Amino acid sequence: MIYVPAIDRGRPSTMEIALTVPRHSHTVLRYSFDKGFLKYTEHPPDANRGFNIGPAIVSYVVDSTPDSGLEQAPLYCTSSNNRVSNGACVVRVYSELFLANLATPDFSMPYNVITFTCTILALFFGRIFNLLTRDFAILDVEKEEAKSTKTE
């Protein structure tokens, strides 16, 4: 068994297992992994869809020699690329992609923060501008009342 652990944002993990499986047997391999958190820039355009995890690749050797019990070589063994020694050929089978759902951040949060911050700054600027441009004067209430009574 060869296992190469993953490096964050560098390479995926790889596991190679060499098994000898008898004919008509059933083998189950399970691989568990932890969901990680991504940076907001690493999410795809539709982050709610999930992330594709690559397929598993299973390679096995088929004996296609005349004494193997096969009447003729299988179609996938006709290529010279798949041949190995003694008339056997290597067959690769790919599993389906796996769609993993990871934690999805709230992408509207930056908008909410910017809106809230701009509102606070506008209120602060409005108050300061109002204080700087307003003309303040001291009123004497007794003089004002005396003026208003004289004019009547």
Side-chain angles (χ1 to χ4, degrees), residues 33-38 43 47 50-51 100-105:
F33 61 92
D34 293 328
K35 296 178 180 180
F37 290 104
L38 298 176
H43 283 275
F51 296 88
N101 291 322
L102 300 178
T104 307

Side-chain angles (χ1 to χ4, degrees), residues 41-98:
T41 57
E42 295 174 339
H43 283 275
D46 185 11
N48 293 320
R49 179 184 172 273
F51 296 88
N52 290 331
I53 295 179
I57 303 170
V58 178
S59 301
Y60 60 93
V61 178
V62 174
D63 186 14
S64 61
T65 58
D67 58 334
S68 66
L70 297 173
E71 290 137 17
Q72 62 180 8
L75 182 61
Y76 45 77
C77 289
T78 56
S79 171
S80 61
N81 296 340
N82 294 342
R83 291 270 179 205
V84 292
S85 62
N86 300 332
C89 70
V90 176
V91 179
R92 286 187 182 86
V93 179
Y94 297 89
S95 70
E96 294 182 8
L97 289 174
F98 176 66

Side-chain angles (χ1 to χ4, degrees), residues 18 34 36 38 66 93 99 101 109 111 120 128-129:
D34 293 328
L38 298 176
V93 179
L99 186 64
N101 291 322
M109 188 65 176
Y111 171 77
I120 297 298
I128 297 297
F129 184 77

